[in-house]
Amino acid sequence: MKLEQIKNPQFLKQLNIEELEELAAQIRSFIIHHVSETGGHFSSNLGVVELTIALHYIFDSPLDKIIFDVGHQSYVHKILTGRAAQFSTLRQYNGLSGFQKKKESIHDVWEAGHSSTALSAAIGMAIARDLNHEQGEMICVVGDAALMSGESFEALNYIGSVDSKVIIILNDNNMSISRNVGGLSNFFSDIRMSTQYKNARNNYISFLSKSNLGKKVYKITKKVKDQIKNNVINDNIFGEFGLDYIGPINGHDFHDLFNALSLASEMDHSVVVHVHTVKGKGYPLAENDYYGVYHGVAPFDYREGIRSKESSMISWSEVVARHIEKWMYEDQDIVTITPAMISGSCLRHIFDTFPDRAFDVGIAEEHAMTFAAGLSNAQKKPFITIYSSFLQRAYDQINHDIARMQLPCLIGVDRSGLVGADGETHHGVFDMSILSSIPNLVIMTPKDAIELKMMINTVFRHFQHPYILRFPKGNIEDKDVSLDKEISIGAWEKIIFDSQNALTIMTYDVKVDRVAYWLMTEQLPVNLINARFIKPMDENILDELSQTHQHILVYETDLMIGSLGASIAHYYSRKKMPMTIDYIGIDDHYTPQGDLDTLFKIEHIHLDDLKQKVKEILDEEGKS
């Protein structure tokens, strides 16, 4: 059948193993073709094809509820629940979400753009099911990297202490976005080895049982083998949490999957099913992708694979990483930390060059921050880079462990601002609102590579505060800046300024140059301030604008609540300085997925919206 004709997963129960294998191949080809056209999460979905089919074969969604811990692994689930025909709209405005989405389907019962929430949600839903005397299994598909996070461990501890049942599918591909790290990762390696042990044991028994001498040797060595078995196979971390354990099993073999999942469904208590899968399966370039290139992809030609393009433009992340690396050569006390984002934050060269001073702590943002605080407390100079949307998880550590003790460190906030197709779980529009209320922080937003590098220079040449360096997704032109070039903390920049002009625009980041180009091209009587420090603000410029009775227009592409505009308004109110201030920014709601130009328009924060607002103000002032 055509995948686009699928309405729900019930048809699977009529198929035999051979037909299911043909379906898996068809789905894998469908994902390769469609995701290479739209962009999206590629290798993670190729790795769970057979597993997802098996889950829908054994269980009955939506009575049985299937939660993908990171919703970007749900593409196969979407296909099997009737959404294949919409895949051409994947991650587009008003199109199919790249994550599970409750409003899309009754089969999507939970939403998650970040990892490690599924177990807590599932046990909550399981207890509610039992209180309501309802039926249905609660099944969580959790990655091996996600299981290492604090929230997952907290949930495991609780699940093992209550009677309500949850089935935990441990999707173990030995590779999250970056390679897994830590003691639990080593445990998974050991337990995968246990499969090899069991195979060897069976061969060993078969060989020795063929002769009387062999039987005697087997009897003598049985105690040794039993000791190995107990240490390697039976004793595992899940038993310590009070959970039964099945596995590891081949996540691409329907016979193994059906047996394990059927056994799990028959149990009357919580159980972990350890499934070993191959991330990127069916597309060799993704299967052998050490650097995570095929984890999340932009559109590409699947016949050729992702090719690097010759360009003078590189990502903001890479500009940051390259300059940090220069400083690491210069200063032996600088260390780099990432929570499992070596690839995304372009840190591979740093990790290869400074293996003793670069630390990947896994998907553990809270630990990463307090780890940085401990390093700083011991007189090291930590640089930690983290996506804006992941930073939200570490608010308490920034507040309690870093800022409160005023421990110097540099926190790079990657992907700040709207990010586009990943949607509301990933837009980096909250960090400024979250962080601006915390004392002792310096919050910086460079407009270009030169300003960014000068800010980094200032941090490491003085290193007196916790510093926040915000930078967006996307590419910029790299520029050489020597390590001795600095920028004064809190100093804004007058890009265009004439005291005779009645209107002043304040903005920051890449918007500065775009607004400057427009104002200069149109020769409008409007001042422009690069408000590159969100905190502390440049009070000298604020006071000067008050003295010259400027009409201020604050242009932001982040949330207005807790924004630069809100801080400016509070400053003038506290100083009892009457000022006329207008604001452009995102209102109090979540922004959907879509390309940036579309999102800027629907949020009324496009450059065209600024132009219209300036025209209205100048008309009122009689200056146009």
Side-chain angles (χ1 to χ4, degrees):
M1 70 183 302
K2 289 185 177 181
L3 299 182
E4 291 83 356
Q5 295 175 335
I6 294 174
K7 300 300 181 186
N8 61 61
Q10 292 303 311
F11 77 99
L12 291 173
K13 302 179 189 303
Q14 309 304 317
L15 304 182
N16 59 36
I17 295 291
E18 184 177 345
E19 290 169 329
L20 290 172
E21 289 174 345
E22 291 175 0
L23 175 66
Q26 187 181 1
I27 289 175
R28 199 164 263 120
S29 177
F30 180 91
I31 290 174
I32 291 171
H33 283 77
H34 277 76
V35 178
S36 67
E37 290 179 355
T38 63
H41 287 90
F42 189 72
S43 54
S44 54
N45 285 287
L46 293 177
V48 297
V49 175
E50 289 85 1
L51 172 58
T52 308
I53 292 172
L55 286 170
H56 280 290
Y57 183 92
I58 296 296
F59 300 104
D60 294 308
S61 177
L63 174 64
D64 297 321
K65 295 172 173 42
I66 302 172
I67 299 174
F68 290 85
D69 184 62
V70 181
H72 67 235
Q73 287 187 343
S74 63
Y75 291 8
V76 184
H77 166 79
K78 287 174 183 277
I79 292 168
L80 295 176
T81 52
R83 286 169 274 180
Q86 299 171 259
F87 257 72
S88 61
T89 70
L90 184 69
R91 303 168 78 241
Q92 299 172 25
Y93 181 58
N94 283 335
L96 198 65
S97 172
F99 302 85
Q100 282 187 298
K101 209 73 173 173
K102 292 173 68 176
K103 68 181 181 182
E104 273 186 15
S105 171
I106 59 172
H107 298 279
D108 289 3
V109 297
W110 181 252
E111 297 182 7
H114 303 162
S115 75
S116 312
T117 65
L119 297 182
S120 296
I123 189 58
M125 295 165 70
I127 288 175
R129 171 200 63 202
D130 296 344
L131 288 172
N132 294 335
H133 305 289
E134 295 171 346
Q135 301 298 311
E137 299 282 8
M138 199 66 59
I139 307 114
C140 296
V141 181
V142 183
D144 49 329
L147 202 65
M148 299 176 199
S149 78
E151 186 172 3
S152 290
F153 264 76
E154 292 170 10
L156 279 174
N157 184 56
Y158 188 69
I159 290 170
S161 71
V162 297
D163 292 332
S164 292
K165 179 187 175 186
V166 173
I167 297 174
I168 301 165
I169 310 298
L170 170 57
N171 176 31
D172 175 12
N173 57 32
N174 197 32
M175 182 169 64
S176 53
I177 299 174
S178 300
R179 292 282 179 177
N180 292 339
V181 297
L184 191 57
S185 177
N186 295 334
F187 159 73
F188 290 143
S189 296
D190 291 341
I191 208 163
R192 281 190 290 273
M193 292 282 290
S194 73
T195 303
Q196 299 171 18
Y197 164 77
K198 285 184 286 187
N199 291 337
R201 174 181 178 273
N202 292 335
N203 292 335
Y204 172 79
I205 294 171
S206 176
F207 172 74
L208 292 181
S209 64
K210 293 179 179 178
S211 68
N212 290 329
L213 177 61
K215 290 176 181 177
K216 290 180 180 179
V217 172
Y218 173 72
K219 187 175 181 180
I220 293 170
T221 59
K222 185 175 186 298
K223 289 184 179 180
V224 176
K225 291 189 278 80
D226 286 346
Q227 184 66 32
I228 295 172
K229 176 179 181 291
N230 288 332
N231 288 340
V232 177
I233 299 174
N234 290 341
D235 292 339
N236 66 60
I237 194 169
F238 303 110
E240 299 301 321
F241 283 111
L243 300 170
D244 274 357
Y245 170 86
I246 302 171
I249 62 171
N250 184 348
H252 304 292
D253 185 294
F254 283 117
H255 291 284
D256 287 356
L257 286 166
F258 291 165
N259 288 337
L261 295 177
S262 296
L263 178 59
S265 69
E266 292 167 3
M267 291 182 173
D268 62 0
H269 51 273
S270 293
V271 59
V272 175
V273 181
H274 185 175
V275 180
H276 190 209
T277 61
V278 176
K279 192 171 184 179
K281 185 172 178 60
Y283 190 76
L285 292 173
E287 288 186 36
N288 299 297
D289 177 22
Y290 180 81
Y291 294 112
V293 173
Y294 288 90
H295 172 74
V297 300
F300 71 100
D301 187 337
Y302 69 88
R303 292 169 293 246
E304 296 183 1
I306 296 174
R307 303 290 182 89
S308 58
K309 298 178 181 178
E310 293 295 328
S311 174
S312 61
M313 308 285 279
I314 64 174
S315 71
W316 280 88
S317 302
E318 189 164 356
V319 174
V320 172
R322 288 181 180 181
H323 204 61
I324 293 294
E325 185 174 348
K326 285 184 179 180
W327 268 102
M328 290 182 76
Y329 280 108
E330 191 77 13
D331 189 335
Q332 299 300 308
D333 284 331
I334 296 174
V335 296
T336 291
I337 304 163
T338 179
M341 297 305 297
I342 292 176
S343 176
S345 295
C346 301
L347 300 174
R348 174 55 57 191
H349 200 264
I350 286 178
F351 272 73
D352 290 343
T353 307
F354 301 101
D356 295 335
R357 293 162 54 198
F359 306 94
D360 182 355
V361 301
I363 303 177
E365 294 86 0
E366 302 93 331
H367 163 62
M369 285 295 171
T370 306
F371 175 52
L375 284 162
S376 178
N377 197 50
Q379 310 309 309
K380 293 301 177 183
K381 299 177 180 179
F383 163 67
I384 176 170
T385 180
I386 184 168
Y387 286 12
S388 174
S389 61
F390 300 157
L391 182 84
Q392 297 157 186
R393 297 180 156 211
Y395 170 85
D396 184 59
Q397 287 69 35
I398 296 173
N399 178 22
H400 180 275
D401 302 331
I402 293 176
R404 186 179 56 84
M405 290 186 279
Q406 198 157 340
L407 293 173
C409 59
L410 175 58
I411 303 172
V413 181
D414 200 344
R415 272 67 165 177
S416 63
L418 294 176
V419 296
D422 279 337
E424 57 196 42
T425 58
H426 281 65
H427 291 313
V429 297
F430 303 102
D431 59 83
M432 205 152 58
S433 301
I434 290 170
L435 297 174
S436 60
S437 63
I438 299 178
N440 297 332
L441 295 184
V442 173
I443 305 176
M444 308 175 285
T445 57
K447 65 182 174 66
D448 55 25
I450 294 174
E451 201 163 72
L452 180 145
K453 291 180 178 182
M454 291 173 66
M455 288 175 173
I456 293 174
N457 291 347
T458 301
V459 169
F460 287 124
R461 290 178 70 85
H462 300 281
F463 214 64
Q464 299 171 339
H465 307 277
Y467 302 88
I468 305 292
L469 179 66
R470 304 179 76 241
F471 50 95
K473 187 177 181 179
N475 295 335
I476 54 169
E477 187 174 356
D478 196 11
K479 297 285 187 181
D480 286 332
V481 176
S482 65
L483 299 184
D484 60 348
K485 295 287 186 182
E486 296 186 31
I487 190 168
S488 297
I489 296 294
W492 290 351
E493 181 185 21
K494 295 178 178 178
I495 304 295
I496 302 171
F497 197 82
D498 183 337
S499 60
Q500 300 302 310
N501 294 337
L503 174 62
T504 295
I505 297 173
M506 290 187 180
T507 193
Y508 48 84
D509 65 37
V510 295
K511 297 186 291 295
V512 173
D513 286 341
R514 294 169 186 168
V515 175
Y517 178 80
W518 167 63
L519 290 176
M520 292 175 182
T521 300
E522 298 295 325
Q523 296 185 326
L524 294 173
V526 177
N527 297 327
L528 175 62
I529 302 295
N530 173 19
R532 55 198 176 189
F533 288 93
I534 306 302
K535 187 177 184 179
M537 298 188 297
D538 192 327
E539 296 184 1
N540 290 330
I541 287 182
L542 289 172
D543 291 346
E544 182 179 357
L545 294 177
S546 174
Q547 292 163 8
T548 56
H549 305 291
Q550 289 285 315
H551 185 148
I552 294 174
L553 174 56
V554 185
Y555 175 37
E556 303 184 73
T557 51
D558 296 286
L559 283 181
M560 284 192 283
I561 295 176
S563 64
L564 172 68
S567 296
I568 290 171
H570 178 259
Y571 176 83
Y572 284 128
S573 174
R574 184 165 52 86
K575 294 282 188 176
K576 294 183 169 53
M577 296 178 177
M579 294 290 291
T580 302
I581 308 175
D582 283 296
Y583 309 91
I584 292 177
I586 300 174
D587 277 324
D588 186 21
H589 59 246
Y590 290 97
T591 300
Q593 67 196 36
D595 66 272
L596 287 179
D597 194 62
T598 297
L599 297 184
F600 276 40
K601 287 176 179 176
I602 65 170
E603 293 292 359
H604 306 292
I605 55 175
H606 198 276
L607 185 59
D608 290 341
D609 295 295
L610 175 70
K611 293 176 181 179
Q612 180 61 34
K613 189 65 178 178
V614 168
K615 183 178 183 304
E616 292 172 4
I617 293 173
L618 293 179
D619 283 345
E620 292 174 5
E621 300 284 345
K623 299 290 185 179
S624 61

